[in-house]
Amino acid sequence: PGHSSCCSGDRRGTGQGEGRALTGWVQRSAQSTRAAAASQNSRPAEDKATSPAPGDCPVCSYNEWDPLEEVIVGRAENACVPPFSVEVKANTYEKYWGFYQKFGGQSFPKDHVKKAIAEIEEMCNILKGEGVIVKRPDPIDWSVKYKTPDFESTGMYAAMPRDILLVVGNEIIEAPMAWRARFFEYRAYRRLIKDYFNSGAKWTTAPKPTMADELYDQNYPIHSVEDRHKLAAQGKFVTTEFEPCFDAADFIRAGRDIFVQRSQVTNYMGIEWMRRHLAPDYRVHIISFKDPNPMHIDATFNIIGPGLVLSNPDRPCHQIELFKKAGWTVIQPPVPLIPDDHPLWMSSKWLSMNVLMLDEKRVMVDANETSIQKMFEKLGISTIKVNIRHANSLGGGFHCWTCDIRRRGTLQSYFD
């Protein structure tokens, strides 16, 4: 008990080369194709031969806290400032608008990026020291301009795997994204995803949006934070319901229940696509917050254990009673300690609560955030302290910078 295997079945056969696994399923696939051709009344529904034994699947994660075995950590290399379009404006703070207007399409400040790269290397080494397998996306030149029939843009980065990949059980879902600068971000992860697919994982890409002008409210009136509060309260966001869009980081997992917010980058159509896709095994619940600028749920509402959630005191959850009724413990983390003069081009200070659980009793937390460290220690959770201040400036904490590929555990319900 407690060691039930990855997506049913033991992960044996670690000595087998991937090549052998690959040729195995290619052969089975070819055999089943030949068999189907040979017999007109073949029974494809019962032909399970093409999927590798579930025990071999390296991808398996149902929640945010089971013991972490394998993780993708993002890259700051070549990070570029996105062009200052309407959807970027709606997600950034006024004090940085001049920065975007000046540097859109160019590199983030080089010395800052260099420091971020070093911090993330150190984070990877610490994860490895804790027994976690670490994978990285490919370095790509994000300054290259691209053009579709609907828009043109330059890219951004592959720093935040949490934004683009959602693992549910043995399935990796590639999010469609909502920023034009992130349209081709998936390319940095394809080598890894193909490897996982060849080892038996399910691989889904959500419908790719056109990101045509109709997806954005071109006249989204942003002059002040008050404007945004009013608009968010009215359910108005910069993205329309023209086509589905979502970032994976607006979803957070607790076994059979997955919680999501309508945000500047995730629309109701995107949520509905995900709800139908994951039904009936998973229930997708929309929750909302008093938040003038929702984008990504994990610095607002971060589930850190079975029935244990960090809830941002600045952005209270409107549905919090549901969690309390279900017997959950709701914890308000302390105010972040990050100084005002530290640049945060793409996020609020609340990255302090954007933590990564290595298991229920170990958390990766910012070395500078002593008050939240004390909070965890009071809860009996030991802290693994890492400094990623320069990496924070690119818009993410430990949860954003990672995507857990495998956690040792089984599918359970925590929200009945």
Side-chain angles (χ1 to χ4, degrees):
H3 284 273
S4 34
S5 62
C6 154
C7 298
S8 78
D10 261 344
R11 297 194 62 256
R12 288 196 251 299
T14 39
Q16 292 175 336
E18 259 171 45
R20 211 152 91 210
L22 178 55
T23 48
W25 77 251
V26 171
Q27 274 164 356
R28 285 196 296 271
S29 190
Q31 279 160 3
S32 68
T33 309
R34 283 199 298 274
S39 115
Q40 289 308 305
N41 56 357
S42 68
R43 305 183 300 281
E46 286 161 46
D47 178 12
K48 293 286 194 320
T50 51
S51 28
D56 296 338
C57 179
V59 176
C60 189
S61 179
Y62 295 109
N63 59 41
E64 311 290 340
W65 64 80
D66 276 340
L68 183 63
E69 295 185 342
E70 183 163 341
V71 70
I72 297 175
V73 176
R75 272 191 191 281
E77 280 84 344
N78 312 327
C80 277
V81 180
F84 193 54
S85 48
V86 63
E87 78 277 16
V88 173
K89 186 177 181 183
N91 275 300
T92 48
Y93 289 90
E94 289 107 300
K95 72 178 204 182
Y96 294 117
W97 287 351
F99 171 86
Y100 282 94
Q101 279 159 323
K102 188 174 174 190
F103 296 112
Q106 301 171 51
S107 172
F108 277 97
K110 289 256 191 326
D111 55 325
H112 201 100
V113 171
K114 209 165 147 186
K115 287 174 183 160
I117 291 169
E119 289 169 352
I120 297 302
E121 289 300 326
E122 175 64 4
M123 175 185 157
C124 289
N125 289 334
I126 291 169
L127 282 165
K128 289 172 193 166
E130 294 290 331
V132 179
I133 295 169
V134 175
K135 299 283 174 79
R136 311 291 303 276
D138 293 339
I140 281 182
D141 178 0
W142 299 104
S143 67
V144 173
K145 187 174 248 188
Y146 48 82
K147 188 175 193 298
T148 79
D150 299 288
F151 70 89
E152 58 182 63
S153 183
T154 43
M156 196 162 93
Y157 54 35
M160 311 293 162
R162 187 75 55 182
D163 294 358
I164 189 163
L165 301 177
L166 184 69
V167 173
V168 181
N170 66 348
E171 177 176 20
I172 301 180
I173 299 170
E174 267 181 49
M177 313 305 285
W179 284 19
R180 288 170 167 177
R182 307 189 79 173
F183 189 86
F184 286 113
E185 199 164 306
Y186 67 87
R187 293 171 65 250
Y189 297 93
R190 280 287 173 89
R191 174 184 53 85
L192 292 174
I193 297 172
K194 285 185 288 191
D195 283 348
Y196 290 132
F197 176 73
N198 288 336
S199 307
K202 287 169 83 172
W203 171 18
T204 301
T205 71
K208 204 75 182 128
T210 61
M211 295 192 187
D213 289 349
E214 293 91 332
L215 180 58
Y216 311 100
D217 177 353
Q218 299 296 335
N219 305 310
Y220 187 72
I222 323 165
H223 305 292
S224 67
V225 169
E226 281 64 49
D227 288 347
R228 295 189 201 189
H229 263 301
K230 275 192 207 112
L231 290 161
Q234 295 163 10
K236 290 201 176 106
F237 302 92
V238 72
T239 44
T240 66
E241 297 295 332
F242 173 67
E243 58 191 348
C245 65
F246 63 85
D247 282 12
D250 273 321
F251 293 81
I252 197 147
R253 304 157 307 149
R256 289 203 180 270
D257 294 281
I258 295 174
F259 301 93
V260 61
Q261 65 173 351
R262 169 58 160 110
S263 77
Q264 300 288 16
V265 292
T266 295
N267 64 10
Y268 290 118
M269 216 171 163
I271 294 170
E272 178 59 15
W273 181 88
M274 188 71 99
R275 191 189 66 74
R276 291 185 205 173
H277 179 73
L278 293 174
D281 294 335
Y282 299 89
R283 301 175 285 243
V284 174
H285 309 264
I286 300 177
I287 55 179
S288 60
F289 306 90
K290 183 178 177 235
D291 184 355
N293 193 34
M295 175 178 178
H296 303 165
I297 202 167
D298 52 359
T300 301
F301 199 76
N302 195 0
I303 303 173
I304 60 166
L308 188 61
V309 65
L310 299 182
S311 186
N312 187 325
D314 275 5
R315 309 174 194 156
C317 175
H318 296 133
Q319 295 80 11
I320 202 66
E321 288 311 313
L322 288 178
F323 293 90
K324 290 178 176 168
K325 266 197 198 112
W328 284 38
T329 305
V330 179
I331 295 167
Q332 294 198 341
V335 174
L337 302 174
I338 194 161
D340 283 335
D341 60 356
H342 185 79
L344 288 173
W345 296 302
M346 312 189 95
S347 68
S348 78
K349 290 182 170 187
W350 284 99
L351 291 178
S352 57
M353 63 175 281
N354 187 257
V355 295
L356 178 70
M357 303 306 291
L358 302 197
D359 57 38
E360 282 180 49
K361 294 294 173 199
R362 287 182 301 160
V363 62
M364 189 165 266
V365 63
D366 196 284
N368 307 283
E369 293 287 346
T370 48
S371 53
I372 202 167
Q373 291 166 22
K374 288 192 184 103
M375 182 206 80
F376 281 116
E377 274 144 21
K378 272 197 190 119
L379 291 167
I381 298 169
S382 63
T383 54
I384 294 156
K385 302 170 190 71
V386 189
N387 173 24
I388 59 164
R389 274 287 185 255
H390 293 87
N392 285 159
S393 302
L394 294 175
F398 298 102
H399 198 257
C400 302
W401 273 92
T402 55
C403 172
D404 38 300
I405 289 296
R406 190 169 66 259
R407 289 182 180 271
R408 192 171 66 247
T410 53
L411 178 56
Q412 292 177 41
S413 180
Y414 308 93
F415 191 70
D416 286 324

